[in-house]
Amino acid sequence: MKIFCGRANPTTGSMEWLEEGEDYDYHQEIARSRYADMLHDKDRNVKYYQGIRAAVSRVKERGEKAIVLDIGTGTGLLSMMAASAGADFCYAIEVFKPMANAAVKIVEKNGFSDKIKVINKHSTEVTVGPDGDMQCRANILVTELFDTELIGEGALPTYEHAHKYLVQEGCEAVPHRATVYVQLVESRRMWSWKKLFPVHVEAEDGEKILVPPSEMENCPGVPSVCDIQLNQMPSSDFSTLSDVVTMFSVDFSKPVQSASTYYRVQLEPVKSGKAQIVLSWWDIDMDPSGMINCTMAPYWVKPTSALQWRDHWMQCVYFLPREEQVLQGEKLYLTACRDEYSVWYNLQKAREGENKAGEEEHKADVCVESPVCRCRAHLLWNRPRFGELNDQNRTRQYIESLRKVLKTDSVCLCISDGSLLPVLAHYLGAKQVQGMQPSRTDLYHPHELWQAFFKANHLEDKIKIIEARPELLKPSHLEDKKISVLVGEPFFTTSLLPWHNLYFWYARTAVSTHLASNVTVLPQSASLHMMIVEFQDLWRIRSPCGICEGFDVQTMDDMIKDSLNFRESKEAEPHPLWEYPCKSLSEPEEVLTFDFTKPVPQHCLSTEGSVKLLQKGKSHGAVLWMEYHLAADTSVSTGLMQLSNEKGNCEWNPHCKQAVYFFSSVIESEILSDPTAVTYAINFDTKTGEIAMDFKL
Ligand code: SAH
């Protein structure tokens, strides 16, 4: 089988479809999967084991045979727990073929082949009966089909089907129930991920304020979940307006309904403020008594209990359709609406002297439609990008740098996706301003959004958006003038890794013939920086597990290792490091520079060297990021913002993903004596726009 994989070409900024073998997809899935993280999640594993033991005992006490259905068995872990706990037989269902194969091997290696039957099917395809996949219905239902939003991986339809066709009435379920909790908060930081704040520009002729179009004010945004490591959000970045409230729960031992519905709770704010955000997380009770509880509650909810770090389950941030001033003690209704796979929220104020009839009326106008972006901005900008555009400090740096280079006769072209720079350049007095947004997807044309933007700010005839790609730029697009100032943030929506924004350099090269001889390019250059780090926790996602709760899962470790080494090309991967604390073991080092005043050279740019490790610690990997030099004394970093203390704690740009290259010592778990230096070889291939790297400890 051949499959096509979409990947943006960093030299052209456009999506390309590459033909790949069947293996490619498998390897990507496995290498980047969360299986390792789940196997390292001690709290989860211990509690599943306790819950499974308790369920098997209850069935045995009733004098019945314990027949287990494990939907989504993965490595086979939960079935092996059940078999060890005395289950008579387990049906282990796994839809993903490479995992089902791995489960067969792992089950065999651990000596459970006679007790566990691995079935490579989606659970809804499983048949029951003398000739079926299962001889009879099960009386114990074990699953782990949850994502951060609980239902996003299809747990509800899977349970609904299983109760109808695969398990007995009154079966034991592990987990027994899940409960979703919410807390209403005000947070300028998180609200800045949904909404564009007005931008203030000090211009020659007074202060200008760039405002978003009115459609943006009340736009519900997009339905995709915003899942983050809420434990990395300092309490100074939000203010809780309500207590933690139970929103809804699902009992997995009873028939489950997946059809769209809503849940409603009454709230009384504990503090007055702007209701903007609903923070949410869930817990699962492994047994009916609720004694075995596994919770995703963030640090401020149960400050005394130890937090289990995990990346496969985090917490959710939901954005209310609009912010609402609420008063301490007033009566509010919070509604959670859900379909089969996602949840969204709505807040309403109870009306004065409301009675039962009034409540009924409220129910009628509860939202049922999932949020759909009407203003188009949420299709162009993702949440971190909103945050970046709202970063006043960053905007000020661009304004100050632009102010230095723009003149009243400047002809300015801005090449960046969804950028406010053309408007800033106009406010700062450039005579002629054009914008170009090269990475266009088929789904979305940014033109209409810009028209709305310009209209809201009376700029319709002031700024021109050029729809041509850089290589097709014609003199007529520029009114037959040469470009005197070429600017970029640079930011492109198709970039995955930090250096993919070097597409700006390629675009700059493509428009070379249109540049005036004394053109100013801003940023004038970029540099790639690197630092060796020890992660507090992120290393777990790539680290072998070996033995998990007494079961040998090395087959899985080997599989992940093979996939990571597929084609012998280990790659850096993007991670938003503000969510993943690490400490620096070396000084940050500039490893490559890119001169935007000249075209992209034909030859590769490479460097070799060695970094001294100054701090004691485990060298988990290298972090790489880009810095853009706007002016001699002004640079913006998309990575390290500050090394905050002598312990090496790092502060990362909260709007960008950094590149992480995990050393093979993490992947192979080889024991190293403390290295004192790391040697590296880094190569930027100007033909492909990709960076290859190699490290030796
Ligand atoms: N049970 C394992 C793995 C959990 S990950 C553990 O706890 O460690 C969830 C797995 O379920 C994934 O491997 C996914 O491919 C599989 N899966 C999800 N829904 C499924 C379904 N309806 N039928 C079969 N497999 C499913």
Side-chain angles (χ1 to χ4, degrees):
M1 192 173 78
K2 290 277 179 204
I3 50 169
F4 288 87
C5 295
R7 193 162 180 156
N9 179 334
T11 70
T12 63
S14 49
M15 292 298 283
E16 282 176 1
W17 296 93
L18 302 173
E19 202 178 288
E20 295 279 3
E22 186 173 22
D23 287 357
Y24 179 81
D25 214 25
Y26 283 5
H27 287 300
Q28 284 299 316
E29 285 260 341
I30 299 285
R32 308 281 171 242
S33 72
R34 294 163 188 251
Y35 293 106
D37 181 32
M38 291 188 292
L39 294 174
H40 283 292
D41 186 342
K42 182 84 185 155
D43 179 60
R44 177 197 87 119
N45 300 338
V46 166
K47 285 168 179 165
Y48 260 97
Y49 210 169
Q50 289 174 352
I52 288 168
R53 283 201 196 100
V56 172
S57 306
R58 289 197 299 277
V59 168
K60 294 275 184 183
E61 272 164 27
R62 297 201 290 260
E64 295 170 24
K65 275 192 162 185
I67 308 296
V68 176
L69 171 65
D70 169 12
I71 303 181
T73 199
T75 52
L77 180 70
L78 305 182
S79 285
M80 295 192 293
M81 287 180 177
S84 299
D88 295 276
F89 201 78
C90 303
Y91 296 100
I93 319 296
E94 175 54 56
V95 65
F96 185 37
K97 189 148 197 277
M99 276 316 301
N101 294 344
V104 171
K105 283 191 207 143
I106 294 170
V107 162
E108 193 180 75
K109 199 166 172 192
N110 287 275
F112 291 110
S113 295
D114 57 334
K115 290 263 189 245
I116 299 173
K117 178 178 174 186
V118 177
I119 301 165
N120 177 210
K121 278 189 178 181
H122 192 268
S123 60
T124 53
E125 305 293 319
V126 169
T127 55
V128 182
D131 304 319
D133 299 311
M134 297 169 67
Q135 288 289 300
C136 62
R137 288 184 176 226
N139 54 6
I140 299 179
L141 174 56
V142 178
T143 78
E144 202 274 61
L145 300 168
F146 314 114
D147 68 344
T148 297
E149 202 176 22
L150 188 71
I151 63 170
E153 279 172 17
L156 294 177
T158 295
Y159 271 107
E160 184 171 37
H161 174 270
H163 277 287
K164 279 189 188 150
Y165 302 106
L166 307 177
V167 297
Q168 296 170 18
E169 208 185 308
C171 77
E172 301 286 345
V174 182
H176 176 78
R177 109 173 53 74
T179 307
V180 172
Y181 301 90
V182 294
Q183 192 166 24
L184 193 63
V185 307
E186 170 176 345
S187 166
R188 187 179 159 87
R189 174 165 177 199
M190 287 184 261
W191 196 236
S192 82
W193 299 345
K194 151 142 205 251
K195 216 186 112 129
L196 190 73
F197 299 146
V199 182
H200 295 254
V201 186
E202 287 300 333
E204 286 287 285
D205 50 344
E207 183 181 64
K208 301 279 167 62
I209 303 175
L210 171 65
V211 293
S214 58
E215 305 90 284
M216 243 171 117
E217 285 300 303
N218 294 324
C219 181
V222 280
S224 60
V225 66
C226 175
D227 51 349
I228 62 165
Q229 293 283 0
L230 207 46
N231 288 322
Q232 297 308 321
M233 182 70 65
S235 55
S236 53
D237 280 353
F238 61 97
S239 149
T240 54
L241 301 181
S242 80
D243 293 326
V244 175
V245 187
T246 300
M247 198 68 223
F248 65 93
S249 25
V250 188
D251 181 342
F252 296 123
S253 71
K254 307 248 161 57
V256 168
Q257 254 100 47
S258 68
S260 298
T261 187
Y262 67 87
Y263 312 88
R264 206 151 168 259
V265 294
Q266 199 184 315
L267 279 184
E268 275 177 20
V270 293
K271 192 158 47 177
S272 299
K274 286 191 209 117
Q276 297 166 326
I277 304 282
V278 174
L279 299 180
S280 173
W281 58 89
W282 49 261
D283 67 12
I284 41 183
D285 284 316
M286 296 298 182
D287 73 335
S289 77
M291 298 294 284
I292 313 166
N293 180 272
C294 181
T295 180
M296 308 308 127
Y299 64 90
W300 65 90
V301 178
K302 285 190 188 125
T304 49
S305 58
L307 287 171
Q308 165 75 52
W309 185 86
R310 42 171 77 93
D311 204 38
H312 61 121
W313 293 331
M314 297 181 268
Q315 293 79 24
C316 297
V317 178
Y318 294 99
F319 304 87
L320 288 171
R322 70 197 77 78
E323 70 183 351
E324 182 119 40
Q325 184 67 43
V326 297
L327 299 172
Q328 181 176 357
E330 86 175 307
K331 236 169 119 185
L332 302 174
Y333 291 107
L334 183 66
T335 312
C337 302
R338 69 148 185 82
D339 55 21
E340 281 182 298
Y341 297 97
S342 66
V343 186
W344 58 97
Y345 284 85
N346 200 7
L347 185 73
Q348 286 166 304
K349 292 201 175 194
R351 283 162 216 157
E352 203 67 41
E354 185 162 357
N355 54 23
K356 270 277 159 231
E359 263 190 51
E360 287 310 309
E361 197 180 297
H362 264 312
K363 282 192 184 170
D365 53 47
V366 154
C367 72
V368 274
E369 303 256 301
S370 106
V372 179
C373 171
R374 288 188 298 256
C375 75
R376 300 190 182 91
H378 299 92
L379 306 177
L380 180 66
W381 297 322
N382 63 14
R383 290 166 185 134
R385 178 65 171 154
F386 264 95
E388 184 171 54
L389 292 172
N390 281 322
D391 181 340
Q392 290 175 340
N393 195 32
R394 177 178 185 273
T395 305
R396 197 180 38 76
Q397 286 181 295
Y398 280 93
I399 290 175
E400 291 317 316
S401 309
L402 279 170
R403 199 194 300 282
K404 281 182 204 149
V405 301
L406 289 175
K407 302 194 186 79
T408 45
D409 62 351
S410 290
V411 175
C412 176
L413 175 66
C414 168
I415 306 181
S416 266
D417 284 342
S419 175
L420 303 179
L421 288 184
V423 182
L424 301 183
H426 169 73
Y427 283 159
L428 293 169
K431 179 171 140 205
Q432 183 184 325
V433 181
Q434 285 99 183
M436 196 184 256
Q437 335 230 1
S439 20
R440 194 154 299 167
T441 66
D442 296 340
L443 293 174
Y444 179 65
H445 237 240
H447 204 69
E448 287 145 349
L449 172 67
W450 289 114
Q451 293 316 324
F453 237 99
F454 295 158
K455 197 155 168 233
N457 294 282
H458 312 292
L459 296 169
E460 289 101 321
D461 50 352
K462 306 288 199 295
I463 299 166
K464 193 166 118 191
I465 297 296
I466 299 174
E467 295 214 51
R469 302 191 45 80
E471 56 279 15
L472 299 176
L473 186 68
K474 292 199 207 70
S476 59
H477 287 125
L478 304 168
E479 295 167 22
D480 296 314
K481 300 216 175 62
K482 292 280 183 193
I483 299 161
S484 58
V485 181
L486 179 70
V487 299
E489 296 190 34
F491 173 89
F492 300 100
T493 51
T494 47
S495 301
L496 295 176
L497 289 160
W499 46 87
H500 292 165
N501 284 324
L502 285 175
Y503 169 62
F504 176 70
W505 201 12
Y506 291 88
R508 179 254 173 256
T509 306
V511 302
S512 285
T513 55
H514 302 279
L515 302 178
S517 56
N518 59 347
V519 66
T520 304
V521 183
L522 184 156
Q524 47 187 250
S525 63
S527 45
L528 180 71
H529 297 250
M530 180 188 77
M531 195 167 75
I532 311 300
V533 303
E534 173 182 281
F535 286 108
Q536 194 176 300
D537 299 292
L538 191 66
W539 58 271
R540 291 170 207 270
I541 66 166
R542 296 288 167 265
S543 161
C545 177
I547 304 288
C548 180
E549 296 308 307
F551 304 101
D552 182 343
V553 292
Q554 210 195 317
T555 308
M556 186 69 219
D557 296 337
D558 294 344
M559 213 166 128
I560 294 174
K561 199 171 92 184
D562 281 355
S563 291
L564 285 167
N565 290 330
F566 180 56
R567 290 196 204 139
E568 293 163 49
S569 63
K570 266 188 29 208
E571 282 177 33
E573 40 188 287
H575 290 284
L577 290 187
W578 74 267
E579 295 183 65
Y580 303 100
C582 60
K583 72 173 195 183
S584 68
L585 300 183
S586 74
E587 290 286 325
E589 211 158 287
E590 180 178 296
V591 284
L592 283 176
T593 55
F594 313 94
D595 181 0
F596 295 161
T597 65
K598 304 204 175 73
V600 179
Q602 293 291 316
H603 58 86
C604 293
L605 302 178
S606 29
T607 180
E608 283 180 5
S610 106
V611 254
K612 269 220 201 83
L613 298 180
L614 303 169
Q615 296 253 12
K616 266 210 165 316
K618 295 202 174 78
S619 307
H620 289 138
V623 178
L624 298 102
W625 68 94
M626 297 291 292
E627 293 189 4
Y628 297 104
H629 309 295
L630 306 183
D633 54 352
T634 312
S635 294
V636 289
S637 171
T638 65
L640 193 66
M641 305 301 280
Q642 215 174 312
L643 273 177
S644 57
N645 56 23
E646 67 292 345
K647 285 206 202 96
N649 291 344
C650 316
E651 189 191 315
W652 299 99
N653 183 322
H655 314 300
C656 300
K657 289 185 180 179
Q658 291 75 36
V660 176
Y661 184 97
F662 286 103
F663 294 151
S664 48
S665 52
V666 176
I667 292 152
E668 282 158 14
S669 186
E670 59 194 45
I671 311 296
L672 288 166
S673 55
D674 256 353
T676 53
V678 175
T679 59
Y680 62 85
I682 296 175
N683 181 53
F684 175 62
D685 183 343
T686 52
K687 296 274 181 313
T688 63
E690 295 290 355
I691 289 185
M693 57 194 95
D694 194 21
F695 292 88
K696 286 198 178 61
L697 271 71

